[in-house]
Amino acid sequence: MENVLEIVDLKKKFRGFELNVKELNIPKGFATALIGENGAGKSTLLNILAGIRVDYKGHIRYFGKYEDGDRDKEEYRVRENIGYTGPGGVFLPHWTAKEVAEVSEILFEGFHRDRFEQLCSDLAISTTQDKSKKFSALSDGNKMKMVLAAAFARDTSLLIMDEPASPLDPLMRDKLCCMIREYLAEEEGERSVLFSTHNISDMENVTDYAIIMEHGKIVEQGFVEDLKEKYILVKGNAEDAALARKVLYSITENKYGFEGICLACRLDELAGLNVEAETPTLFQISVAIMKQNTVIR
Amino acid sequence: MKMLRSYHSFVLRSTRWLYFLGIPLVTALLQLWCSANIKVPLGPALILSMMLIALIMLDQWAFGGCCSKHAGQIEYLRCSVRGKAVLRNALIQDCALRALVIAALVGICYGVDYCIAGDRLFAPNWGLEALFYGFLLYTFITLGVLIARYSTMFFIGFLTAYLLMQIASGIMLLVFMKMVPVWIPVTVLGLAAVLVTWLCIRNPIRKMERGYYDETIEG
């Protein structure tokens, strides 16, 4: 399988935090979700991959052929092929949709103004009232919509999105999933998406590959379907909870029973207990893994 | 053309109208009133002091806060290989246009004065005096802009502009009262103008370059 990003021995230390990624490959042609609790290092990793932070040690290979040193060479078009959306004020506060389009045309060769305007219209940010609104005057949701419109209006091969779903309403999250699916489908396996999210359930239907981070390290990764085979959701009666606890990754109990996630290969160890096994959701797997690694009690 | 487009990306059309039409028009009207009513050659000094505040404040809607701690907006420029060049082009053009606008304002003041009162209010060395006003205005506005860009607070911009206006007025008074030969401030301000222009272009670019780094990597 081809990879859009290959990361080896990536290290970055700052303010008591250490990002340490031994090896990470982002598969080409898929949507990859980066999951982890606050402060896990998701944004730091995405900023490094997008090239807006360059103070790190290690190697990154882009699109299977370009090293990180090639990123700023205009002829290799590495930055041109990466679309980035961040959670903060990406644009100057006084820019309106018109200025965003104007500056994007100068900055990126593959920016399509007509596509941007169409997206602004589709995402309802170019109503007569909002069209002349400054970026700083837009709501958080509309700010993200404008950032997304600018990113999707470009011809890119990789979209790196830091928390795109967080400020969006449920309807818009669904729309974002559709946009990601359409983006991936357009070039038939040539385009990839990497996004971080806390809204795992909302984004699950568009996630092909998941990476779970804790304390600057990758603690789990794999295709969602494989993870759903690797882990299993177990439900049982309250009296079996104590025995099950030894096998389960995480457990939630009440007076009627318990449920938790365990490795499918350890399911045999629960033989003899009155338990039911189900396929877990990505949300349940992620939370169980995060609980194993968190410092939150 | 690319340079012009870079500048237009940072400076809104409404700001450009104010910059290139509004301020020269107000300057002409004020000078008209001064030439007709004040019988001493104070018009240019008074008006240009006011314009100093206006021109520093206008920058708040263009490059305002671009050197401040939380200038996250430059993130979008950092995503592109052309980002630095676009910012540099815009900043160079900003300084060049500021010099042109100031030259126009000084010209308007002297021109209107001449049309209304003839050359009776003109000092014998009025050419050097006009150059002095131009250099003073350019240096102080560029310095004000340079300082104000480190804050996103409108109030800081206004306070900077007001303080610089007071200092500029003091220097104008020294020259007006002939306490200093005019060629001295012209020379000093000329050199200062070069320095502040360099800083005004360099600092936002350095801010953008530093944005690529959080802290020194350890280990």
Side-chain angles (χ1 to χ4, degrees), chain A residues 52-55 94-95 104, chain B residues 9-10 76 78 80 211-212 214:
Chain A
I52 57 172
R53 288 276 185 275
V54 295
D55 47 350
H94 63 257
W95 282 353
S104 301
Chain B
S9 312
F10 287 91
Y76 196 57
R78 277 192 278 137
S80 165
Y212 286 108
D214 284 317

Side-chain angles (χ1 to χ4, degrees), chain A residues 291 294-297:
Chain A
K291 275 183 177 173
T294 187
V295 289
I296 299 172
R297 297 285 165 233

Side-chain angles (χ1 to χ4, degrees), chain A residues 4 9 17 41 56 60 74 77 95 97 99 120 123 128 143 145 148 169 202 227 236 252:
Chain A
V4 67
D9 273 335
F17 169 79
Y56 60 86
I60 305 169
E74 200 160 358
R77 301 171 60 84
W95 282 353
E99 275 81 35
C120 284
L123 303 179
T128 44
K143 277 181 187 166
K145 286 185 202 173
L148 288 170
D169 59 59
D202 289 342
L227 291 175
T252 311

Side-chain angles (χ1 to χ4, degrees), chain B residues 20-201:
Chain B
F20 300 118
L21 195 71
I23 286 186
L25 201 67
V26 172
T27 305
L29 290 173
L30 285 171
Q31 184 60 52
L32 208 62
W33 184 85
C34 279
S35 300
N37 296 288
I38 299 175
K39 301 301 173 198
V40 282
L42 261 177
L46 282 173
I47 295 157
L48 296 176
S49 301
M50 284 188 266
M51 292 309 133
L52 187 144
I53 292 192
L55 287 173
I56 292 176
M57 295 314 290
L58 268 184
D59 188 71
Q60 302 270 314
W61 286 283
F63 297 91
C66 72
C67 293
S68 66
K69 198 179 173 186
H70 304 290
Q73 59 268 20
I74 294 180
E75 220 170 61
Y76 196 57
L77 301 182
R78 277 192 278 137
C79 290
S80 165
V81 279
R82 300 174 188 168
K84 206 164 109 179
V86 167
L87 181 64
R88 188 191 290 116
N89 285 346
L91 290 164
I92 291 171
Q93 203 183 357
D94 177 56
C95 287
L97 289 173
R98 183 181 304 122
L100 275 178
V101 166
I102 288 166
L105 294 185
V106 175
I108 287 169
C109 285
Y110 278 88
V112 171
D113 219 3
Y114 185 78
C115 289
I116 300 296
D119 60 0
R120 65 188 165 81
L121 293 180
F122 280 23
N125 59 345
W126 68 271
L128 200 60
E129 191 185 80
L131 199 64
F132 161 71
Y133 283 134
F135 278 173
L136 181 78
L137 210 58
Y138 177 83
T139 306
F140 274 70
I141 290 170
T142 310
L143 180 64
V145 157
L146 180 69
I147 297 167
R149 282 177 186 172
Y150 280 90
S151 171
T152 49
M153 292 167 74
F154 201 76
F155 170 73
I156 298 290
F158 182 75
L159 193 69
T160 308
Y162 181 76
L163 289 173
L164 286 172
M165 186 201 78
Q166 298 294 328
I167 299 168
S169 303
I171 297 171
M172 283 182 193
L173 201 65
L174 285 177
V175 172
F176 184 71
M177 294 173 78
K178 301 195 189 319
M179 291 168 82
V180 183
V182 71
W183 64 267
I184 294 176
V186 165
T187 313
V188 174
L189 288 167
L191 293 170
V194 175
L195 179 70
V196 289
T197 303
W198 177 68
L199 289 173
C200 208
I201 295 166

